[in-house]
Amino acid sequence: MECNDLYDYGLKIYQNPKYFKFSLDSILLGEFTELRRHDKILDLCTGNAPIPMILTTKKKEISIDALEIQEEIFELAKKSVTENELDNQIKVLNADARIYTSSEKYDTVLANPPYFKVTQNSQTTENEIKRNARHEMLLTLEEVIISAKKNLKENGTFYMVHRVDRLLDAIKILETQKFGIRKIAIINTKKGKDAEFFLMQASKYKKSDLKIKSYEVESLKTYKGIFKEDSR
Protein backbone atom coordinates (compact mmCIF):
# COMPACT_ATOMS: atom_id res chain seq x y z
CA MET A 1 0.00 0.00 0.00
CA GLU A 2 1.21 3.51 -0.84
CA CYS A 3 0.09 6.95 0.31
CA ASN A 4 0.40 9.38 -2.60
CA ASP A 5 -0.55 12.96 -3.41
CA LEU A 6 -3.93 13.30 -5.11
CA TYR A 7 -2.30 15.32 -7.85
CA ASP A 8 -2.25 19.00 -6.77
CA TYR A 9 -5.48 19.08 -4.76
CA GLY A 10 -3.65 19.15 -1.43
CA LEU A 11 -4.99 15.70 -0.52
CA LYS A 12 -3.51 12.25 0.10
CA ILE A 13 -4.77 8.99 -1.40
CA TYR A 14 -3.99 5.41 -0.40
CA GLN A 15 -3.38 3.06 -3.32
CA ASN A 16 -2.11 -0.44 -3.96
CA PRO A 17 -0.06 -0.59 -7.19
CA LYS A 18 -0.98 -4.27 -7.59
CA TYR A 19 -4.60 -3.23 -8.13
CA PHE A 20 -4.87 0.15 -9.85
CA LYS A 21 -4.13 3.84 -9.27
CA PHE A 22 -6.30 6.89 -9.87
CA SER A 23 -5.77 8.35 -13.32
CA LEU A 24 -6.76 11.17 -15.64
CA ASP A 25 -10.33 9.92 -16.15
CA SER A 26 -11.13 10.36 -12.45
CA ILE A 27 -9.71 13.88 -12.41
CA LEU A 28 -11.62 14.81 -15.56
CA LEU A 29 -14.92 13.59 -14.12
CA GLY A 30 -14.33 15.53 -10.92
CA GLU A 31 -13.61 18.69 -12.92
CA PHE A 32 -16.54 18.13 -15.32
CA THR A 33 -19.15 17.74 -12.56
CA GLU A 34 -21.14 20.87 -11.74
CA LEU A 35 -22.09 21.29 -8.10
CA ARG A 36 -24.50 23.37 -6.08
CA ARG A 37 -24.32 24.13 -2.38
CA HIS A 38 -25.76 21.36 -0.20
CA ASP A 39 -26.00 18.84 -3.07
CA LYS A 40 -26.38 15.24 -1.96
CA ILE A 41 -24.20 13.10 -4.23
CA LEU A 42 -23.77 9.39 -4.94
CA ASP A 43 -20.51 8.14 -6.47
CA LEU A 44 -20.89 4.67 -7.98
CA CYS A 45 -17.72 2.58 -8.48
CA THR A 46 -15.75 4.97 -6.28
CA GLY A 47 -12.57 2.88 -6.19
CA ASN A 48 -10.26 4.43 -3.61
CA ALA A 49 -12.42 7.59 -3.64
CA PRO A 50 -10.47 10.11 -5.78
CA ILE A 51 -13.60 11.68 -7.27
CA PRO A 52 -15.46 12.37 -3.98
CA MET A 53 -12.29 13.87 -2.51
CA ILE A 54 -11.79 16.10 -5.55
CA LEU A 55 -15.39 17.30 -5.30
CA THR A 56 -14.90 18.42 -1.69
CA THR A 57 -12.27 20.90 -2.91
CA LYS A 58 -14.94 22.51 -5.12
CA LYS A 59 -17.78 22.81 -2.59
CA LYS A 60 -17.51 22.39 1.18
CA GLU A 61 -21.26 22.08 1.82
CA ILE A 62 -21.90 18.96 -0.27
CA SER A 63 -22.31 15.45 1.15
CA ILE A 64 -21.22 12.34 -0.75
CA ASP A 65 -22.00 8.64 -0.43
CA ALA A 66 -19.28 6.63 -2.19
CA LEU A 67 -19.97 2.99 -3.18
CA GLU A 68 -17.27 0.38 -3.66
CA ILE A 69 -18.09 -3.34 -3.94
CA GLN A 70 -14.55 -4.74 -3.62
CA GLU A 71 -13.63 -4.90 0.07
CA GLU A 72 -9.89 -4.41 -0.44
CA ILE A 73 -10.48 -1.17 -2.39
CA PHE A 74 -13.23 -0.06 0.00
CA GLU A 75 -10.71 -0.21 2.85
CA LEU A 76 -8.28 1.98 0.88
CA ALA A 77 -11.06 4.50 0.20
CA LYS A 78 -12.02 4.67 3.88
CA LYS A 79 -8.38 5.17 4.86
CA SER A 80 -7.98 7.97 2.29
CA VAL A 81 -11.11 9.78 3.47
CA THR A 82 -10.04 9.57 7.12
CA GLU A 83 -6.45 10.63 6.31
CA ASN A 84 -7.83 13.85 4.78
CA GLU A 85 -10.33 14.44 7.61
CA LEU A 86 -13.27 14.27 5.20
CA ASP A 87 -15.45 11.81 7.15
CA ASN A 88 -17.97 14.59 7.78
CA GLN A 89 -18.53 14.98 4.02
CA ILE A 90 -17.82 11.55 2.51
CA LYS A 91 -19.38 8.27 3.64
CA VAL A 92 -17.75 5.24 2.02
CA LEU A 93 -20.02 2.20 1.68
CA ASN A 94 -19.01 -1.38 0.86
CA ALA A 95 -22.07 -1.96 -1.32
CA ASP A 96 -23.23 -3.39 -4.66
CA ALA A 97 -24.50 -0.65 -6.98
CA ARG A 98 -26.92 -3.12 -8.59
CA ILE A 99 -28.97 -3.45 -5.41
CA TYR A 100 -28.14 -0.26 -3.50
CA THR A 101 -31.10 2.02 -2.81
CA SER A 102 -31.21 5.02 -0.54
CA SER A 103 -34.41 6.19 1.14
CA GLU A 104 -33.33 9.76 0.38
CA LYS A 105 -32.75 10.37 -3.32
CA TYR A 106 -29.68 12.16 -4.63
CA ASP A 107 -29.28 15.42 -6.53
CA THR A 108 -26.35 14.03 -8.49
CA VAL A 109 -25.00 10.56 -9.31
CA LEU A 110 -21.49 9.99 -10.73
CA ALA A 111 -19.83 6.96 -12.26
CA ASN A 112 -16.39 5.98 -13.51
CA PRO A 113 -17.45 2.38 -14.21
CA PRO A 114 -15.64 -0.67 -15.57
CA TYR A 115 -14.87 0.04 -19.22
CA PHE A 116 -14.59 -3.32 -20.95
CA LYS A 117 -17.21 -5.90 -21.84
CA VAL A 118 -16.57 -9.40 -20.56
CA THR A 119 -14.91 -11.70 -23.10
CA GLN A 120 -13.15 -15.05 -22.90
CA ASN A 121 -9.89 -13.17 -22.35
CA SER A 122 -11.33 -11.20 -19.42
CA GLN A 123 -11.02 -14.20 -17.13
CA THR A 124 -7.32 -14.70 -17.80
CA THR A 125 -5.97 -11.14 -17.66
CA GLU A 126 -4.68 -9.32 -14.56
CA ASN A 127 -5.45 -10.15 -10.93
CA GLU A 128 -9.07 -10.48 -9.82
CA ILE A 129 -9.37 -7.06 -8.16
CA LYS A 130 -7.88 -5.23 -11.14
CA ARG A 131 -9.97 -7.33 -13.54
CA ASN A 132 -13.19 -6.50 -11.70
CA ALA A 133 -12.35 -2.79 -11.81
CA ARG A 134 -11.62 -2.79 -15.56
CA HIS A 135 -14.10 -5.34 -16.91
CA GLU A 136 -17.88 -5.64 -16.46
CA MET A 137 -17.53 -8.69 -14.23
CA LEU A 138 -19.59 -7.28 -11.35
CA LEU A 139 -21.40 -4.35 -12.98
CA THR A 140 -22.40 -3.59 -16.57
CA LEU A 141 -22.89 -0.20 -18.19
CA GLU A 142 -26.64 -0.77 -18.27
CA GLU A 143 -26.68 -1.64 -14.56
CA VAL A 144 -24.75 1.55 -13.78
CA ILE A 145 -27.32 3.71 -15.56
CA ILE A 146 -30.26 1.84 -14.00
CA SER A 147 -28.72 2.38 -10.56
CA ALA A 148 -28.27 6.07 -11.28
CA LYS A 149 -31.91 6.40 -12.31
CA LYS A 150 -33.15 4.50 -9.26
CA ASN A 151 -31.21 6.70 -6.86
CA LEU A 152 -31.67 10.12 -8.47
CA LYS A 153 -34.32 12.68 -7.65
CA GLU A 154 -36.64 13.54 -10.51
CA ASN A 155 -34.69 15.87 -12.82
CA GLY A 156 -31.49 14.89 -10.99
CA THR A 157 -28.20 14.85 -12.88
CA PHE A 158 -26.00 11.91 -13.90
CA TYR A 159 -22.33 12.33 -14.82
CA MET A 160 -20.15 9.61 -16.30
CA VAL A 161 -16.73 9.09 -17.87
CA HIS A 162 -16.17 6.20 -20.28
CA ARG A 163 -14.32 5.11 -23.39
CA VAL A 164 -15.38 6.59 -26.72
CA ASP A 165 -16.01 3.11 -28.17
CA ARG A 166 -18.88 2.72 -25.66
CA LEU A 167 -20.52 6.08 -26.46
CA LEU A 168 -23.31 4.65 -28.64
CA ASP A 169 -24.06 2.00 -26.01
CA ALA A 170 -24.36 4.72 -23.36
CA ILE A 171 -26.65 6.90 -25.48
CA LYS A 172 -28.99 4.00 -26.26
CA ILE A 173 -29.26 2.94 -22.62
CA LEU A 174 -29.77 6.48 -21.36
CA GLU A 175 -32.57 7.09 -23.85
CA THR A 176 -34.23 3.80 -22.88
CA GLN A 177 -34.04 4.81 -19.22
CA LYS A 178 -35.63 8.23 -19.96
CA PHE A 179 -32.57 10.41 -19.45
CA GLY A 180 -32.12 13.57 -21.48
CA ILE A 181 -28.51 14.00 -22.59
CA ARG A 182 -27.29 17.54 -21.96
CA LYS A 183 -23.52 17.57 -22.62
CA ILE A 184 -20.86 15.35 -24.08
CA ALA A 185 -17.16 16.23 -23.86
CA ILE A 186 -14.86 14.25 -26.13
CA ILE A 187 -11.36 13.93 -24.67
CA ASN A 188 -8.27 13.46 -26.81
CA THR A 189 -5.17 12.59 -24.76
CA LYS A 190 -2.75 12.08 -27.66
CA LYS A 191 -2.34 14.62 -30.43
CA GLY A 192 -3.03 13.14 -33.85
CA LYS A 193 -4.66 10.03 -32.38
CA ASP A 194 -8.30 9.05 -31.99
CA ALA A 195 -10.15 10.41 -28.96
CA GLU A 196 -10.03 8.09 -25.95
CA PHE A 197 -12.65 9.22 -23.41
CA PHE A 198 -16.00 10.91 -23.28
CA LEU A 199 -17.64 12.69 -20.38
CA MET A 200 -21.41 12.93 -20.28
CA GLN A 201 -24.02 14.91 -18.37
CA ALA A 202 -27.63 13.63 -18.50
CA SER A 203 -30.81 14.54 -16.61
CA LYS A 204 -33.46 12.14 -15.37
CA TYR A 205 -36.84 12.64 -17.09
CA LYS A 206 -35.72 15.72 -19.05
CA LYS A 207 -35.60 16.19 -22.79
CA SER A 208 -32.22 16.06 -24.47
CA ASP A 209 -30.63 19.43 -25.20
CA LEU A 210 -27.30 18.17 -26.39
CA LYS A 211 -24.08 20.15 -26.64
CA ILE A 212 -20.88 18.42 -27.78
CA LYS A 213 -17.38 19.79 -27.45
CA SER A 214 -13.93 18.25 -27.87
CA TYR A 215 -10.85 18.88 -25.72
CA GLU A 216 -7.18 18.03 -25.96
CA VAL A 217 -5.74 16.93 -22.62
CA GLU A 218 -2.20 15.75 -23.25
CA SER A 219 -1.18 15.52 -19.58
CA LEU A 220 -2.47 16.10 -16.07
CA LYS A 221 -0.93 19.58 -16.24
CA THR A 222 -3.55 20.73 -18.75
CA TYR A 223 -6.75 19.52 -17.11
CA LYS A 224 -7.67 22.23 -14.60
CA GLY A 225 -10.29 24.75 -15.64
CA ILE A 226 -10.89 23.35 -19.12
CA PHE A 227 -14.63 22.95 -18.48
CA LYS A 228 -15.23 26.22 -16.61
CA GLU A 229 -16.31 28.18 -19.67
CA ASP A 230 -19.07 25.61 -20.26
CA SER A 231 -20.49 25.69 -16.71
CA ARG A 232 -24.00 26.98 -16.33
Side-chain angles (χ1 to χ4, degrees):
M1 180 172 62
E2 299 175 352
C3 185
N4 306 120
D5 291 331
L6 182 52
Y7 194 51
D8 64 354
Y9 289 98
L11 300 169
K12 297 293 184 180
I13 187 166
Y14 283 93
Q15 307 186 99
N16 188 327
K18 292 181 181 178
Y19 302 152
F20 54 84
K21 293 188 174 185
F22 82 90
S23 56
L24 179 61
D25 50 358
S26 295
I27 291 176
L28 288 170
L29 185 57
E31 290 291 317
F32 185 68
T33 300
E34 298 172 16
L35 300 172
R36 297 163 298 184
R37 290 182 65 188
H38 307 297
D39 271 355
K40 184 172 174 60
I41 298 163
L42 175 64
D43 183 33
L44 305 172
C45 317
T46 199
N48 45 2
I51 296 168
M53 291 196 293
I54 290 169
L55 294 183
T56 64
T57 68
K58 299 173 73 175
K59 284 279 191 297
K60 297 299 182 186
E61 305 88 350
I62 59 174
S63 63
I64 307 168
D65 289 341
L67 264 60
E68 175 53 47
I69 191 171
Q70 298 198 87
E71 188 170 356
E72 296 87 347
I73 308 304
F74 159 75
E75 294 294 343
L76 291 173
K78 278 204 311 179
K79 195 170 180 64
S80 295
V81 169
T82 299
E83 171 75 20
N84 293 287
E85 300 181 348
L86 293 171
D87 296 275
N88 62 326
Q89 279 186 273
I90 303 171
K91 183 178 180 182
V92 186
L93 304 169
N94 187 201
D96 187 339
R98 294 173 296 183
I99 59 177
Y100 175 80
T101 305
S102 173
S103 56
E104 185 180 353
K105 301 300 183 186
Y106 296 88
D107 301 291
T108 300
V109 175
L110 312 170
N112 182 3
Y115 285 164
F116 302 104
K117 293 181 179 180
V118 176
T119 66
Q120 287 183 330
N121 291 332
S122 301
Q123 297 286 354
T124 58
T125 58
E126 305 159 337
N127 61 65
E128 182 180 5
I129 291 172
K130 193 171 184 179
R131 183 167 66 242
N132 289 341
R134 290 169 54 81
H135 298 261
E136 294 180 337
M137 313 293 294
L138 304 177
L139 186 69
T140 66
L141 177 56
E142 183 173 22
E143 288 167 339
V144 168
I145 293 170
I146 289 171
S147 179
K149 180 182 179 182
K150 178 173 60 175
N151 286 291
L152 274 171
K153 294 177 179 177
E154 189 165 343
N155 299 324
T157 308
F158 175 55
Y159 292 92
M160 180 174 67
V161 60
H162 217 299
R163 287 173 56 89
V164 164
D165 59 8
R166 300 299 301 278
L167 178 57
L168 288 180
D169 292 340
I171 290 171
K172 288 175 184 176
I173 298 166
L174 285 164
E175 288 180 341
T176 299
Q177 295 299 323
K178 308 300 181 187
F179 279 89
I181 302 171
R182 316 295 285 179
K183 291 182 183 179
I184 296 175
I186 305 297
I187 306 297
N188 191 323
T189 60
K190 294 178 182 176
K191 197 167 186 177
K193 302 290 185 180
D194 291 341
E196 186 175 356
F197 299 113
F198 72 86
L199 296 147
M200 181 179 285
Q201 179 197 73
S203 297
K204 180 178 174 180
Y205 298 145
K206 279 191 176 181
K207 291 183 178 179
S208 292
D209 181 22
L210 179 58
K211 296 179 177 139
I212 302 177
K213 194 167 181 179
S214 61
Y215 301 83
E216 284 194 3
V217 184
E218 294 183 29
S219 72
L220 289 175
K221 294 180 181 179
T222 60
Y223 77 90
K224 247 181 180 175
I226 62 171
F227 304 119
K228 283 185 179 178
E229 64 188 72
D230 304 314
S231 298
R232 295 179 184 179

